[in-house]
Amino acid sequence: MIIVIIGCTGVGKTKLSIMLGEKFGGEILNTDAMQLYNGLDIITNKATVEEQSRIPHHLLGILPPHVQCNVFYFQKEAHRVVDDLLARDIVPILVGGTNYYTERAVAVPMQFHPKPPQLPKNTPTPHEMLSPAFISSQEAFDRLRSVDPQMAERLHPNDHRKILRSLEVFETSGKRHSDSILSSSHQPTALRHSPCLFFWIDCEQSELDQRLDKRVDAMLDMGLLREVYEHFLFVSSYPSIFTKEISLKKDSEGTKVEWEFERGVLQSIGFKEFQPLFEYTAGEHGFPNLECCREDKSRCCMNKMIIQHEDCTIGNACSDVTCCKIDDKLWADFFELFCKNQTCEAMLTTCVNTMKQHTRRYARKQTQWIRNRICTAREGLFVYRLDASSLATWEEDVFDVAAGIVQEALDSSKPPPSNVEMNPFLEEGQKLKTWKKHFCDKCNQTLNGDCEWKVHLKSRKHRKGKKKTHQEVIPVDDSRVEKKYESESSC
């Protein structure tokens, strides 16, 4: 038997995993992609040191932040840990917010694409040839449209990471990504072990939104800003991995460097949101710069601001995140000046509000994934929804219910039926065939799929666009009014 705890961010997944682990003698396997990285304890909401001491944790903080992790590596490691725990009669308890990783951890191994042929020395690999240094976002999308139009129709033009992934599949295997999906999607993903008990911790949306806002505030009190600065400085040591050079507008010459927020650890919510503040208070090469906080324009040198290993320099970057810890006194001095600067305070408020907004949006996406993907009927899968809307009765509503279900499954060797309506299986190939992109002429926006299109039509942005069009047409004769309404209906 395998226990899996799912749910959007902020509902108490870590708390339940530890309580169940202590009661049933299980061990925890992390399935959160960002928690695989070393450090970043606050921004990724890792289990605290005290919580980790209560029960063994696996695949938590195992990678340095500059390493690019992927689902193939994770699935292999997760299967190794699960098999080892089951062989020792220990119940694996999988918990994490990356639902795709969670799903792959309990599923049969993914089909690996053939390795690329051996290339002459110094020849760029397909991955390097698809990097921003070789190809722009628009060129990558145009390339995908020419080699795999069906996959291009499914992906949003701005989804650079997935576009490059599909191109990489084609370049390394000679097979279109859409063909791979079609050939392997005629049955639901089988589970490696049965039964799998999925505990879905859910919460009423308005209550969850308030909790998430409070949690971001708590993260700030715990030292979120300092952690963001430290890791921005760390990844600055790897510009080839975490930055890209893009051309300026057509009427301008030259290029500019931007962060690659779709790569590795920078995908964590918090980096992109605090990037404007970091850039405002940092100098060249990522060195901390206090110009914005001090009237005499003096700045701190990185060698004084950062505690480094003796053999670690910007040119010879170290993979140990402890070499980029800001000295306590220097950070205190920096933060004191920071708080006295009105621009910094205003920017901090904006960054925090943006982080709250993106966290709430991400929570909704997590819930949607659970409903659409995980709650799909398959043999050996049992899903139980637990209502965590009331903090006062959380233990009774969540832990007691989950513990009762696990105990019944252990006693009878047969889990109780799911309390969630399971979706019928829909082939990935069928989804690929029926997927449709929409373009709204009025809003100049591409919507990926029917669901996004329906949401957009009801959005305030689209309604405001329609209202403006309507107001512009009202003073004119009836024939022109009819034309405008016809154009609206075609949008």
Side-chain angles (χ1 to χ4, degrees):
M1 180 178 72
I2 295 177
I3 296 173
V4 185
I5 300 173
I6 57 176
C8 63
T9 183
V11 293
K13 297 188 296 296
T14 299
K15 181 180 179 180
L16 178 61
S17 68
I18 292 172
M19 293 176 75
L20 289 178
E22 290 178 327
K23 182 173 179 63
F24 297 103
E27 295 187 11
I28 294 173
L29 191 159
N30 165 56
T31 62
D32 189 296
M34 296 299 102
Q35 291 186 10
L36 292 170
Y37 293 104
N38 187 15
L40 300 165
D41 297 347
I42 299 173
I43 202 171
T44 62
N45 286 287
K46 279 183 189 167
T48 64
V49 174
E50 185 275 329
E51 289 172 328
Q52 292 183 44
S53 68
R54 290 163 57 184
I55 186 169
H57 283 67
H58 302 271
L59 303 188
L60 190 67
I62 62 171
L63 298 175
H66 70 289
V67 171
Q68 299 296 299
C69 182
N70 59 53
V71 71
F72 299 104
Y73 166 83
F74 169 77
Q75 186 178 51
K76 181 180 177 181
E77 291 299 302
H79 288 176
R80 178 186 59 78
V81 173
V82 168
D83 292 344
D84 174 65
L85 294 177
L86 291 176
R88 294 188 283 125
D89 292 325
I90 297 174
V91 178
I93 302 175
L94 281 59
V95 59
T98 310
N99 291 315
Y100 183 50
Y101 276 43
T102 303
E103 193 176 25
R104 299 316 312 180
V106 298
V108 295
M110 299 175 68
Q111 290 186 350
F112 286 82
H113 297 288
K115 292 183 179 180
Q118 291 284 33
L119 298 172
K121 199 172 182 180
N122 299 326
T123 301
T125 65
H127 181 76
E128 291 171 336
M129 292 173 65
L130 295 172
S131 69
F134 284 85
I135 187 170
S136 68
S137 297
Q138 185 58 49
E139 288 171 339
F141 185 68
D142 291 341
R143 168 73 172 153
L144 180 63
R145 202 156 42 184
S146 66
V147 300
D148 193 348
Q150 198 167 26
M151 206 66 200
E153 180 58 31
R154 182 176 186 177
L155 300 178
H156 193 285
N158 296 336
D159 198 342
H160 196 57
R161 180 173 59 85
K162 290 184 180 179
I163 290 170
L164 292 187
R165 172 60 186 149
S166 293
L167 282 175
E168 192 172 9
V169 169
F170 178 79
E171 297 293 346
T172 57
S173 68
K175 187 176 182 180
R176 295 187 299 185
H177 198 184
S178 57
D179 291 338
S180 299
I181 294 174
L182 289 169
S183 63
S184 60
S185 63
H186 300 302
Q187 57 185 4
T189 304
L191 303 176
R192 294 181 74 238
H193 302 283
S194 178
C196 279
L197 310 186
F198 275 71
F199 292 105
W200 172 16
I201 310 179
D202 200 10
C203 183
E204 198 274 323
Q205 193 63 58
S206 60
E207 170 66 22
L208 178 63
D209 288 344
Q210 293 180 36
R211 287 188 205 171
L212 294 178
D213 287 350
K214 290 178 181 177
R215 191 169 77 163
V216 172
D217 292 332
M219 291 165 66
L220 202 63
D221 294 337
M222 293 165 61
L224 172 66
L225 185 64
R226 178 173 176 172
E227 185 175 88
V228 168
Y229 267 67
E230 288 173 344
H231 282 80
F232 257 129
L233 291 166
F234 179 83
V235 298
S236 297
S237 303
Y238 299 90
S240 62
I241 299 175
F242 293 106
T243 62
K244 61 181 177 181
E245 192 174 271
I246 62 172
S247 300
L248 299 175
K249 295 181 179 179
K250 291 183 179 180
D251 54 350
S252 304
E253 294 183 358
T255 60
K256 65 176 180 178
V257 176
E258 288 189 351
W259 293 97
E260 284 262 43
F261 288 110
E262 293 181 346
R263 282 185 173 269
V265 71
L266 288 187
Q267 298 174 78
S268 301
I269 295 178
F271 280 114
K272 186 175 183 179
E273 292 73 15
F274 280 88
Q275 179 257 342
L277 185 61
F278 174 78
E279 296 289 352
Y280 181 70
T281 56
E284 296 178 352
H285 310 298
F287 293 178
N289 176 2
L290 304 185
E291 283 189 75
C292 62
C293 301
R294 182 177 280 173
E295 291 183 2
D296 62 6
K297 305 294 182 184
S298 62
R299 62 174 69 177
C300 281
C301 170
M302 184 171 184
N303 292 332
K304 296 179 181 179
M305 188 73 172
I306 304 299
I307 302 173
Q308 292 183 306
H309 297 162
E310 291 182 3
D311 59 346
C312 178
T313 64
I314 287 298
N316 178 29
C318 176
S319 62
D320 186 354
V321 294
T322 60
C323 75
C324 271
K325 293 292 184 183
I326 299 177
D327 178 77
D328 291 340
K329 184 178 183 307
L330 289 172
W331 175 258
D333 294 341
F334 169 79
F335 193 67
E336 182 182 357
L337 296 169
F338 178 96
C339 293
K340 293 178 181 178
N341 185 283
Q342 293 183 353
T343 302
C344 288
E345 284 289 281
M347 291 183 73
L348 177 63
T349 300
T350 300
C351 294
V352 170
N353 290 336
T354 303
M355 184 175 178
K356 290 178 179 179
Q357 179 187 19
H358 290 176
T359 302
R360 295 193 299 267
R361 184 185 303 165
Y362 179 59
R364 285 166 170 78
K365 288 184 177 180
Q366 288 175 303
T367 301
Q368 185 181 23
W369 180 284
I370 292 171
R371 287 199 181 104
N372 296 341
R373 288 287 298 267
I374 292 181
C375 295
T376 300
R378 66 192 91 176
E379 186 176 354
L381 175 67
F382 300 85
V383 182
Y384 309 98
R385 181 183 176 276
L386 308 174
D387 188 359
S389 298
S390 172
L391 288 176
T393 60
W394 188 94
E395 191 163 330
E396 294 85 349
D397 297 338
V398 178
F399 172 68
D400 288 350
V401 175
I405 292 172
V406 173
Q407 191 63 59
E408 182 177 344
L410 291 172
D411 293 341
S412 64
S413 299
K414 185 178 180 182
S418 302
N419 66 3
V420 174
E421 183 178 356
M422 304 297 279
N423 304 317
F425 170 67
L426 177 61
E427 293 183 9
E428 284 294 318
Q430 186 63 27
K431 294 178 187 177
L432 187 63
K433 292 176 184 176
T434 59
W435 194 267
K436 186 178 180 182
K437 250 195 312 248
H438 302 267
F439 184 77
C440 181
D441 294 318
K442 288 193 182 344
C443 305
N444 191 30
Q445 186 173 350
T446 300
L447 292 313
N448 208 18
D450 294 337
C451 182
E452 281 192 14
W453 176 243
K454 290 176 183 177
V455 171
H456 173 73
L457 292 179
K458 296 178 182 178
S459 68
R460 183 182 303 174
K461 176 181 178 181
H462 184 72
R463 292 201 310 271
K464 284 176 68 176
K466 289 177 69 175
K467 186 175 180 182
K468 286 181 181 179
T469 303
H470 185 72
Q471 289 174 344
E472 289 172 0
V473 174
I474 287 296
V476 195
D477 62 279
D478 292 342
S479 62
R480 288 183 62 185
V481 173
E482 290 175 1
K483 279 188 177 181
K484 283 292 180 183
Y485 278 120
E486 287 175 4
S487 65
E488 286 179 8
S489 62
S490 65
C491 178

